[in-house]
Amino acid sequence: MPTITAFESSPDRGRGQARDMRVRWALEEVGQPYDVRLVSFAAMKEPAHLALHPFGQIPTYEDGDLTLFETGAIVLHLAECHDGLLPKDANARRRAIAWMFAALNTLEPPIVELGMAMLFERDKSWYAERLPVLQERVRVRLGELSRRLGQAEWLDGAFSAGDLMMVTVLRRLNPSGLLEEFPDIAAYVARGEARPAFRRAFEAQLAVFTASGS
């Protein structure tokens, strides 16, 4: 049974934002049982954990003699080893992988930058001036995604690992209110959150926060 690592004390207060959520969701989608090893912030910087993740973060994935870090790599590995997250058609499969990269490389950077500013820069003298710039960068990407998504249920036909990664990235915008400006994207995220596998993963991550009383 594979083992993943997750925060011992959840900084997102159990809202499903920590990146182990992506791996949990993928494991639930493919029906693969898994164990979780909780790690503290201090333990993440210790040699034992750094041997698994050179940047001292979570999650990591261990299965036999295979150890992986980075959620994109882990989810892609699971999608390649199990049915349900990548299409059978070769071209559709490659497009799903392209959407995984788009979520992580095109959408996530400006979203994370906005989120970090909202969390840690509110008391800065330049925050009020910088915030609209960061918001506009995200709006541009959301507009581009909206035009491509249209009224489709998922990004490219059936639900895939591309949708899984995209939904988890877009959920990071919940505190910003920007998703409300794009009803089609908000509905897309809601469809992802309504999937039974997502709900199981969310409840599992929330249980860590609830149990710790963080």
Side-chain angles (χ1 to χ4, degrees), residues 118-170:
M118 293 176 65
L119 280 174
F120 301 115
E121 299 176 4
R122 288 182 179 273
D123 60 340
K124 305 300 183 182
S125 60
W126 33 260
Y127 176 75
E129 183 176 352
R130 184 168 185 253
L131 183 63
V133 176
L134 298 178
Q135 291 172 327
E136 187 57 27
R137 289 174 185 169
V138 174
R139 284 192 184 96
V140 168
R141 292 305 187 200
L142 292 179
E144 293 164 342
L145 180 64
S146 176
R147 286 191 290 275
R148 180 58 182 265
L149 179 65
Q151 298 304 307
E153 185 177 19
W154 305 113
L155 292 171
D156 191 67
F159 176 85
S160 75
D163 295 293
L164 186 152
M165 297 304 289
M166 188 66 76
V167 168
T168 58
V169 166
L170 293 171

Side-chain angles (χ1 to χ4, degrees), residues 86 92-104 106 162 166:
L86 287 177
R93 191 180 187 92
R94 294 184 181 100
R95 290 195 300 271
I97 294 171
W99 279 115
M100 292 180 65
F101 278 85
L104 297 175
T106 303
M166 188 66 76

Side-chain angles (χ1 to χ4, degrees), residues 18-168:
R19 286 182 172 89
D20 62 289
M21 178 66 190
R22 301 168 182 178
V23 179
R24 291 177 185 268
W25 185 5
L27 287 161
E28 294 288 352
E29 286 284 352
V30 302
Q32 171 63 58
Y34 61 99
D35 286 329
V36 180
R37 184 172 65 254
L38 302 178
V39 293
S40 67
F41 287 105
M44 288 163 55
K45 305 305 179 184
E46 294 293 331
H49 188 74
L50 290 172
L52 305 176
H53 197 310
F55 304 107
Q57 299 175 326
I58 60 96
T60 60
Y61 172 93
E62 301 165 75
D63 188 10
D65 60 357
L66 174 65
T67 299
L68 294 173
F69 63 97
E70 293 296 331
T71 56
I74 297 168
V75 172
L76 181 57
H77 166 71
L78 293 172
E80 290 179 331
C81 292
H82 302 271
D83 291 336
L85 285 176
L86 287 177
K88 297 295 185 183
D89 176 76
N91 286 345
R93 191 180 187 92
R94 294 184 181 100
R95 290 195 300 271
I97 294 171
W99 279 115
M100 292 180 65
F101 278 85
L104 297 175
N105 293 343
T106 303
L107 272 294
E108 189 166 43
I111 289 174
V112 168
E113 188 176 16
L114 172 62
M116 295 296 283
M118 293 176 65
L119 280 174
F120 301 115
E121 299 176 4
R122 288 182 179 273
D123 60 340
K124 305 300 183 182
S125 60
W126 33 260
Y127 176 75
E129 183 176 352
R130 184 168 185 253
L131 183 63
V133 176
L134 298 178
Q135 291 172 327
E136 187 57 27
R137 289 174 185 169
V138 174
R139 284 192 184 96
V140 168
R141 292 305 187 200
L142 292 179
E144 293 164 342
L145 180 64
S146 176
R147 286 191 290 275
R148 180 58 182 265
L149 179 65
Q151 298 304 307
E153 185 177 19
W154 305 113
L155 292 171
D156 191 67
F159 176 85
S160 75
D163 295 293
L164 186 152
M165 297 304 289
M166 188 66 76
V167 168
T168 58

